[in-house]
Amino acid sequence: MNSPTPDEVTPVWVALGADASLVDRICPVGPRGGLPSRLPVSELARATVAVCSLAAAELGAVRGGRPVPRVRVDDGAVATAFRSDRLVRLDGQAWSTFAPLSRFWRTADGQVRTHANYPHHRARLLAALGLPDGAGPEAVARAVAERPAREVEDAVYAAGGLAVAVRGPREWAAHEQGALVARRPLLTLERTGDAPARVPDGAPLPCSGLRVLDLTRVLAGPVATRTLALLGADVLRVDAPHLPESQEAHNDTGLGKRSTTLDLGRGTDRRAFDDLLADADVVVTGYRPGALDRFGLSPEALAERRPGLVVGQLSAWGRYGPWSGRRGFDSLVQAATGIAVLEGSADEPGALPAQALDHGTGYLLAAALLRALTERHRAGGTWLARLALTQTAHWLVHGLTRGPADDAAGFPGPDRWLTERETPMGRLRYALPPVAYDGAPADWARPPGRWGADRPEWLGT
């Protein structure tokens, strides 16, 4: 059986300020496996979904005045959900998750990983390498091959692009940022202010009636807010109109949500945002640390304006150290922290079987937000949760151990945990939610719509 062990779940659950005895509510379902790798990826996936499911069950019980129900953890559902971005189809067409210039490149002394899925990141990468805007993979390969990996890393980041030298685990541990990450906890959840407690209200779902401002982008933050939408929250994603976003990505992570665009530098858009904030219960941010502070959206400013608010902050590298202001994505964190070497080698870096840092951090973030909402109902307060992809990476490499071998022979394909429905864009195939407890919703209440097409208002207003 695939039951998460106490060693996997209990420390995370206790770090969220929860009752350790509730871990006994978690029950395994089906064969184990689905995410084969050298590192304990299945263990990470199983534990993060278990903690998230238990937090959802607990919040539903507190709001409904009921006992905490059993939580079910099905490795098949978990593995399928962790690969949701690779399995999503619109009218049979797959999403190409990585652009041609997002890959590993051989350098003069090793390897470097780039991320150029967005047009502005692609343009900055080419500019840093001294290449014209239309240059392709062959030109990039020639330019990178002539330079040391860390020189490429520094030059591309200085130009506002994204590139990371591939490091082994020891190199990352010796790096200033890596040493700081090693001394940090997996996540933090703290009460930052006072606000009245809530009373049980008989809500049908854990997040029924709650309003969530989603200020996140690919992939961990949207996974977290997608989970809150599953659990009944009115989730409104807000993006800047000048930042491009992939409709294909939104087809995967926009389930249950609505999406709008607002320019916080414009008076009318800012007033619309402030109206949304005035009635929000949760704000989730996934931009670089400090990037939203100039708009008065630091945790301190939000707590002062909206006592009782629950804030979730997600970053790639952490809110500390020399890399705190850098952009980052799952693939880059894998390359920097030694995961790519552990899954392959220094000469031929590998990758995890899913964007597991993104998905795992997303479910951990959702769990932290749900636990904060539970504590808000019990004892009130304003709450702040902080997570980083590098901290999840450190937990994967150093904090988890592999369990028994995956049941590869008895493990079915993903079809059992995939479904289809009509959307405004066409017929969508997507992964069903892995978050499961007695009475949990089996699917999202609404399909994803067109990115940015909704009005900036809460449902029912």
Side-chain angles (χ1 to χ4, degrees):
M1 298 299 283
N2 63 338
S3 177
T5 68
D7 288 343
E8 293 171 349
V9 174
T10 302
V12 182
W13 186 241
V14 171
L16 293 171
D19 179 359
S21 68
L22 291 179
V23 172
D24 293 339
R25 306 273 179 169
I26 300 172
C27 303
V29 177
R32 67 178 290 131
L35 294 169
S37 60
R38 295 178 182 174
L39 290 166
V41 176
S42 290
E43 286 75 9
L44 177 145
R46 188 181 306 127
T48 57
V49 171
V51 169
C52 184
S53 300
L54 188 55
E58 181 194 30
L59 176 58
V62 168
R63 294 191 66 186
R66 303 179 293 268
V68 178
R70 288 186 316 142
V71 166
R72 299 185 305 279
V73 181
D74 185 332
D75 266 22
V78 170
T80 303
F82 264 61
R83 294 185 293 127
S84 65
D85 48 307
R86 303 180 185 186
L87 295 171
V88 67
R89 301 286 187 273
L90 183 66
D91 292 332
Q93 296 298 308
W95 170 29
S96 298
T97 53
F98 288 107
L101 300 188
S102 296
R103 47 169 276 195
F104 291 107
W105 307 88
R106 190 170 297 280
T107 66
D109 62 350
Q111 298 270 349
V112 69
R113 174 83 196 208
T114 57
H115 194 288
N117 285 6
Y118 291 113
H120 57 298
H121 290 159
R122 180 180 186 278
R124 293 167 186 172
L125 169 66
L126 294 175
L129 298 176
L131 298 173
D133 188 55
E138 297 80 6
V140 172
R142 288 193 297 271
V144 169
E146 299 170 355
R147 305 169 69 173
R150 296 187 190 184
E151 180 183 305
V152 174
E153 174 184 274
D154 291 340
V156 173
Y157 266 106
L162 295 107
V164 167
V166 174
R167 292 170 171 84
R170 291 183 180 178
E171 291 176 279
W172 178 244
H175 189 278
E176 183 179 355
Q177 191 70 31
L180 290 171
V181 169
R183 295 198 292 268
R184 299 280 174 152
L186 172 61
L187 52 82
T188 60
L189 177 63
E190 59 179 329
R191 179 172 173 151
T192 59
D194 294 327
R198 312 295 174 96
V199 297
D201 53 12
L205 290 173
C207 295
S208 292
L210 301 181
R211 291 168 167 172
V212 178
L213 274 177
D214 179 1
L215 311 180
T216 69
R217 293 167 69 80
V218 176
L219 184 61
V223 167
T225 51
R226 180 181 68 182
T227 303
L228 300 185
L230 169 75
L231 298 170
D234 179 10
V235 178
L236 181 62
R237 176 168 164 171
V238 180
D239 286 277
H242 63 277
L243 289 178
E245 184 54 292
S246 160
Q247 178 64 50
E248 289 81 4
H250 190 62
N251 292 342
D252 173 40
T253 60
L255 287 153
K257 308 179 191 178
R258 293 175 301 121
S259 167
T260 194
T261 59
L262 291 172
D263 182 350
L264 299 187
R266 294 182 54 202
T268 55
D269 283 13
R270 181 56 199 249
R271 286 190 291 274
F273 181 85
D274 287 343
D275 288 343
L276 292 167
L277 180 59
D279 292 321
D281 296 281
V282 179
V283 175
V284 189
T285 67
Y287 291 82
R288 286 176 299 147
L292 298 177
D293 290 4
R294 70 183 188 277
F295 298 113
L297 300 179
S298 68
E300 297 78 13
L302 288 169
E304 183 176 348
R305 294 181 59 184
R306 184 89 169 107
L309 190 68
V310 173
V311 179
Q313 286 192 314
L314 173 71
S315 63
W317 306 107
R319 302 182 61 82
Y320 45 81
W323 283 20
S324 61
R326 292 192 174 193
R327 299 173 179 87
F329 293 90
D330 183 309
S331 58
L332 299 180
V333 174
Q334 289 189 43
T337 60
I339 291 174
V341 171
L342 291 171
E343 289 293 329
S345 67
D347 290 333
E348 296 294 337
L352 300 177
Q355 299 284 90
L357 304 181
D358 266 333
H359 286 274
T361 306
Y363 288 111
L364 288 174
L365 175 56
L369 297 171
L370 292 165
R371 283 252 61 251
L373 289 165
T374 294
E375 294 301 328
R376 190 181 76 161
H377 273 271
R378 285 175 171 161
T382 305
W383 293 83
L384 172 62
R386 281 178 168 158
L387 297 90
L389 298 184
T390 46
Q391 290 162 203
T392 304
H394 184 80
W395 182 49
L396 172 64
V397 176
H398 301 284
L400 289 168
T401 56
R402 291 184 63 92
D406 289 351
D407 185 10
F411 199 84
D415 289 352
R416 175 180 169 186
W417 298 281
L418 296 171
T419 191
E420 294 187 1
R421 70 198 299 178
E422 293 298 329
T423 75
M425 295 76 62
R427 188 158 186 83
L428 184 71
R429 188 189 80 169
Y430 60 94
L432 289 166
V435 173
Y437 57 89
D438 291 348
D443 199 350
W444 286 270
R446 58 189 299 151
R450 296 192 182 279
W451 174 82
D454 293 292
R455 293 180 58 82
E457 59 189 23
W458 297 116
L459 292 175
T461 60

